[in-house]
Amino acid sequence: MRKFGLTTALAGAAFLSLAGMAAAETVRVTVAEYSSKTGPYFEEAAKAFEEANPDADIQIEVVPWDVLLQKLTTDISGGANADLSIIGTRWLIDFVEQGIAAPLDDYMSDEFKERFFPVFLEPSVMDGKTYGLPIAASARAMYYNKDLFEQAGVTEVPDTWEELAAAAEKISALGDDIAGFGLQGKEIETDVYFYYAFWAHGGELVEEDGTSGLDSEAAYKAAETYKSLIESGATQPGVTSYNREDVQNLFKQGKVGMMITAPFLSNQIKEEAPDLEYGVAAIPAGPDGDRGTYGVTDSIIMFENSENKDLAWKFLDMLFTTEWRAKFTEGEGFLPVNPEVAKQPAFADNADLKAFTGLLPDARFAPVIPGWEEIAAKTSDAIQTIYLGDADPKATLDAAAEDINGILGN
């Protein structure tokens, strides 16, 4: 009888355990992989949330950036998308127009809205409704290797593209596989690297009449700027074989004199190349003093078809408390999107971050227009063709502009 009673008790306990598991609400979160720290951070946050909410089951899926949009597109088409996902804010307009992203305003108190710098929250507001929260914010600046500058006799950090070209040639002349300027030529942000010189020459991605700016004098001059750098040997050879991470690795190895990238490189240098002497400066200006940095926000959205919106929001609310925002932002090397986080010493006393925040008045964001990813891809294809020397730059840009005008509906 005792044996039977024990068996019955164990069976009952197992049943109750299974019943408890069945009652747990699941929230699935698709996370873009920024670094090796991204997954552990979100897993830690999920564990903390589950401990405070025993009936919750937070499932984290980390996806590389280069395949994130395709992954989301496939999941959405099959009705298999998560409840929450990080996206590039530039994708948001398409998600909103297709009814994929859910508005968040009914969940957002005034106190919650005050957690953000308005400049970073505003890109996710469309037609008066908030569809995303800024999970990451960044800008771009020019990193330079102080030791290579000294060896090459470059005494001033270039402030114009003309000065950059002269300095890059001197640094490349050092030999030993050293490149004066690291130029990205493939994958994500290949188009953006082109925009730096394009904006410096006064260019606009979309003109006032709604047409592409690639068939403009600014675009032709930007193309000539980069083409000249390549042909003079001022860049690493075979630029179209290098993505952003490849060029960053060259910089960390002390093989590149200058490159343009995001704040997170500073964290990587401190961890992987702590002896590297480097500085951070503004992206060079054009002949009339124009310059621009690329401002970026990534957002986390809630899907309209989520069946656990209330619990998903509760998890978001925790992620956007000062404690969790500070941990994520510092770990990944992003700019703070929250005033309270920005006040903390790790950010307020960070010289590199100050250099980036000082560039925000010159920040340009990707246009919030339908089809932007296709437009960016067309631009990147044209730029790669020019870098390879396979076609006339003006003709290549004119053809790309014509294709883009078709996407824009012109």
Side-chain angles (χ1 to χ4, degrees), residues 13 100 111 196 263 301 332 363 372:
I100 293 168
E111 179 276 327
Y196 301 133
I301 66 168
E332 297 290 359
W372 174 251

Side-chain angles (χ1 to χ4, degrees), residues 395-406:
T396 302
L397 291 169
D398 287 348
E402 185 175 353
D403 289 343
I404 290 170
N405 284 333

Side-chain angles (χ1 to χ4, degrees), residues 35-52:
S35 73
S36 60
K37 297 180 180 180
T38 306
Y41 164 82
F42 278 97
E43 291 292 350
E44 181 185 358
K47 182 179 179 181
F49 185 82
E50 290 170 349
E51 288 176 352

Side-chain angles (χ1 to χ4, degrees), residues 308-339:
N308 289 317
K309 288 188 174 70
D310 289 347
L311 187 63
W313 174 260
K314 194 172 182 180
F315 183 57
L316 284 179
D317 188 41
M318 188 198 84
L319 288 180
F320 284 94
T321 57
T322 300
E323 174 191 356
W324 286 99
R325 286 305 304 159
K327 185 176 294 187
F328 177 77
T329 306
E330 183 177 4
E332 297 290 359
F334 289 126
L335 299 179
V337 301
N338 315 85

Side-chain angles (χ1 to χ4, degrees), residues 6 14 19 50 72 79 156 222 239 251 299 307 327 336 343 368 381:
L6 178 60
E50 290 170 349
L72 292 176
E156 299 288 338
V239 296
F251 189 86
S299 299
E307 296 181 356
K327 185 176 294 187
K343 294 176 184 177
V368 183
D381 289 345

Side-chain angles (χ1 to χ4, degrees), residues 30 34 42 65 84-90 92 96 101-109 111-126 129-137 296-303 309 312-321 325 328 337-338:
T30 300
Y34 295 102
F42 278 97
W65 256 114
L84 302 170
S85 180
I86 292 176
I87 67 167
T89 305
R90 59 195 179 277
L92 187 56
V96 171
L104 303 174
D105 303 271
D106 288 346
Y107 296 100
M108 298 171 66
S109 65
E111 179 276 327
F112 185 86
K113 293 177 183 178
E114 290 172 358
R115 297 182 194 179
F116 301 93
F117 287 117
V119 68
F120 292 128
L121 186 60
E122 287 167 1
S124 295
V125 178
M126 299 180 188
K129 295 181 179 180
T130 307
Y131 288 94
L133 303 174
I135 193 74
V296 182
T297 62
D298 298 327
S299 299
I300 188 164
I301 66 168
M302 183 188 297
F303 287 97
K309 288 188 174 70
W313 174 260
K314 194 172 182 180
F315 183 57
L316 284 179
D317 188 41
M318 188 198 84
L319 288 180
F320 284 94
T321 57
R325 286 305 304 159
F328 177 77
V337 301
N338 315 85

Side-chain angles (χ1 to χ4, degrees), residues 189-246:
E189 291 195 17
T190 294
D191 60 317
V192 175
Y193 228 103
F194 174 76
Y195 301 152
Y196 301 133
F198 174 64
W199 287 326
H201 284 92
E204 294 292 340
L205 298 177
V206 179
E207 303 283 7
E208 290 184 3
D209 62 0
T211 61
S212 171
L214 285 190
D215 55 354
S216 65
E217 284 300 317
Y220 305 150
K221 290 176 181 177
E224 183 55 40
T225 296
Y226 288 118
K227 189 168 182 288
S228 176
L229 285 168
I230 293 170
E231 292 177 347
S232 68
T235 68
Q236 80 278 14
V239 296
T240 57
S241 298
Y242 289 81
N243 63 20
R244 180 173 65 188
E245 286 69 30
D246 295 330

